[in-house]
Amino acid sequence: MKTIRIGSGAGYSGDRIEPAVELAEKGEIQYLVFECLAERTIAIAQGAKLKDPSKGYDPLLADRMRAVLGLCHAKGIRIITNMGAANPAAAAARTREIAQSLGLHGLKIAAVTGDDVLAELKSGGHRIEETGAPVSSMADKLVSANAYLGAAQIVEALKAGADVVITGRVADPALFLAPQIAEFGWAMDDWDRLGKGTVVGHLLECAGQVTGGYFADPGVKDVAALARLGFPIAEVSEDGGAVITKVAGSGGAVTAATCKEQLLYEIHDPSTYLTPDVIADFSRVTFIQEGPDRVRVAGATGRARPETLKVSVGYLDSYIGEGQMSYAGPGALARGRLALEIVRERLALTGVKATELRFDLIGVNSIHGEALSTADGREPYEVRVRVVGRTDSLKEAVRIGNEVETLYTNGPASGGGATKSAKDVVAMLSALLPRGLAKPAIAYVEA
Amino acid sequence: MKLRDIAHSRTGDKGDISNISVIAYDEADFPLIEAAVTPERVKELFREVVHGEVVRYALPGIGALNFVMQKALGGGVTRSLALDAHGKCLASALLDLEIPDRAS
């Protein structure tokens, strides 16, 4: 039976680069996939593209391509990535430049576009999922709207001989499902196989998170050599059978336990995992450790794909201002609490208009509030106060950090290390768009 | 004993929704975990953090539970004022839960 090996070269935009090089060098893979697009990244990228039409793709695209393009070209490894973000065409052009600068020839690069549905969303009577409000009611605040496309265009580009496929917003598992469909000739309505291919994509999409990254808990769950963590490889066969593994000798571990944590990562109802390609069912998935760092995954199935596409809507929501300062030594906690009281009173006294405020003691209660953080009577040696608030203007947000900073000369004794910041907030909401309204397209450039 | 003695966990985020897995090291402990870690207990534990409903899904085939918690992330990662905007630390807080010892 035909088998292919797919490597996962990145789990997010800022991820390490050497594990991808290791995969290309020693992974005996045919496909190297880079998943680099978080929910909000595309809205930020849209902002960058507005300022400069040649930008708006992943900031590490050039570094990644320089690191792997030569190796992949020499070994016939095909690259699939969503590093196109808000501008797949510019990303493809940049990749061609890098290929040329490396002296590579005969490289076909595909850019998948059409996920940008801002115009379609604005013109119809569509509603925001979370609030039920019509999209039109927030028209002047909208920054971006990108539909999650499926595997179809990536499959088409691979069949057309593309060596590199660069997309914008595509469902993460689709990046991994596409080479399986293209290689094995699965039908786009073979729901069972698409479900199996999707679980493989879901396990690989966060790269190191299935090979022991984000898993270690010393003394309870130990993981070896995290500084040299190897990224995952899926060995997939035509019938949808799959083994998760990694490069021999690399750091980390692939075990049934690492796979179980990743299976449930960012999923809701395990029997109904919605993607543009299939409604996958992970509820009966099982893992069998077949050997060291080799785990067989079985039992995923699927049902007919949804008729609508999920759209991530980016909008200008508000502004956030923040200030922090540290206290240490005897009485640090009391001075920290006093500092927070002072800032609380100052914000009221000076009339700072915040719609929401938080007063945190970092190291004491800043993560889960007072009730969960009950002290056993001991005081921390050091504490860092943090005041953060939401406002309707940047000018107002700046005032929050200022009230923390002025504690230097006006607050409790021995406060140090003040920092402050103010920023605008592009927040995300969702909408559902009838699938026919998105118009995916593919453009090719050759190096 | 603590839940951490027999289970491990990871938190994920999507929009304003947080999900926490609870996975038995030994699948034989799954019924004990299922009985002890109810959605009501999780909702009570996170009362200062989670402001929406908590739904639990069971995956007996791998000895795991998945808790899906609405309105848990201050409006979502990008607009949250929280230090841990993704809610990633919630998993370790859940593992601190006291549960009945195995019947010996």
Side-chain angles (χ1 to χ4, degrees), chain A residues 39-40 42-43 130 144 312-315 426-430, chain B residues 15 75 78:
Chain A
E39 268 185 340
R40 73 172 304 208
I42 206 155
E130 288 87 345
S144 65
S312 265
V313 180
Y315 70 100
V426 174
M428 306 304 298
L429 289 168
S430 322
Chain B
T78 57

Side-chain angles (χ1 to χ4, degrees), chain B residues 63-83:
Chain B
L65 297 172
N66 188 36
F67 292 90
V68 178
M69 314 188 297
Q70 304 282 334
K71 294 187 187 162
L73 299 172
V77 171
T78 57
R79 77 183 296 277
S80 169
L81 297 186
L83 195 57

Side-chain angles (χ1 to χ4, degrees), chain B residues 25 47 58 63 73 100:
Chain B
Y25 285 112
R47 64 190 180 279
L73 299 172

Side-chain angles (χ1 to χ4, degrees), chain A residues 81-397:
Chain A
T81 180
N82 54 13
M83 280 192 283
N87 203 345
R94 185 79 184 99
T95 302
R96 178 173 62 173
E97 276 174 31
I98 290 162
Q100 286 168 340
S101 74
L102 294 171
L104 306 177
H105 298 287
L107 209 65
K108 187 168 182 177
I109 303 159
V112 176
T113 56
D115 58 305
D116 186 338
V117 292
L118 189 57
E120 287 78 6
L121 202 70
K122 272 181 175 172
S123 61
H126 309 288
R127 289 186 177 272
I128 297 294
E129 261 204 302
E130 288 87 345
T131 61
V135 171
S136 54
S137 70
M138 50 195 304
D140 55 335
K141 288 190 168 177
L142 288 182
V143 177
S144 65
N146 293 82
Y148 283 82
L149 301 180
Q153 287 70 42
I154 306 172
V155 172
E156 191 185 327
L158 290 174
K159 284 183 175 167
D163 301 287
V164 181
V165 183
I166 303 177
T167 73
R169 175 52 76 207
V170 166
D172 296 350
L175 299 168
F176 300 85
L177 178 59
Q180 300 177 61
I181 295 171
E183 287 275 353
F184 302 136
W186 293 346
M188 293 305 282
D189 62 355
D190 187 345
W191 309 121
D192 189 55
R193 294 259 167 87
L194 298 189
K196 292 183 194 324
T198 295
V199 80
V200 169
H202 178 66
L203 289 169
L204 258 60
E205 70 181 59
C206 296
Q209 276 196 185
V210 77
T211 50
Y214 209 60
F215 184 84
D217 196 349
V220 184
K221 293 190 288 173
D222 289 304
V223 182
L226 280 169
R228 292 184 290 105
L229 186 69
F231 282 1
I233 298 164
E235 210 174 270
V236 195
S237 53
E238 213 166 340
D239 63 356
V243 169
I244 308 299
T245 184
K246 68 184 183 70
V247 174
S250 63
V254 181
T255 66
T258 66
C259 290
K260 288 174 186 178
E261 276 195 28
Q262 186 54 29
L263 179 77
L264 290 172
Y265 182 68
E266 293 186 341
I267 75 159
H268 295 163
D269 180 349
S271 72
T272 308
Y273 184 70
L274 298 165
T275 82
D277 296 308
V278 61
I279 299 177
D281 183 346
F282 298 167
S283 63
R284 287 180 299 278
V285 166
T286 56
F287 296 103
I288 298 160
Q289 189 94 39
E290 283 193 345
D293 297 318
R294 283 185 64 83
V295 174
R296 178 165 294 278
V297 49
T301 57
R303 311 191 288 282
R305 67 184 195 184
E307 278 313 304
T308 49
L309 295 177
K310 180 178 167 175
V311 179
S312 265
V313 180
Y315 70 100
L316 188 60
D317 173 84
S318 55
Y319 298 82
I320 291 179
E322 182 181 340
Q324 295 188 10
M325 170 124 32
S326 285
Y327 295 88
L333 184 57
R335 280 179 283 130
R337 288 197 195 278
L338 175 59
L340 289 183
E341 276 170 42
I342 293 167
V343 176
R344 192 190 294 272
E345 198 178 333
R346 288 287 305 167
L347 292 173
L349 208 62
T350 59
V352 174
K353 293 181 196 69
T355 54
E356 200 182 331
L357 281 167
R358 262 184 89 117
F359 299 86
D360 293 328
L361 292 163
I362 296 175
V364 181
N365 64 10
S366 66
I367 306 293
H368 297 141
E370 282 289 339
L372 262 178
S373 318
T374 44
D376 57 4
R378 277 191 307 175
E379 295 227 341
Y381 178 79
E382 59 181 81
V383 57
R384 188 159 176 86
V385 305
R386 172 178 185 259
V387 179
V388 57
R390 186 186 320 288
T391 61
D392 292 332
S393 74
L394 191 61
K395 206 175 151 191
E396 208 67 5

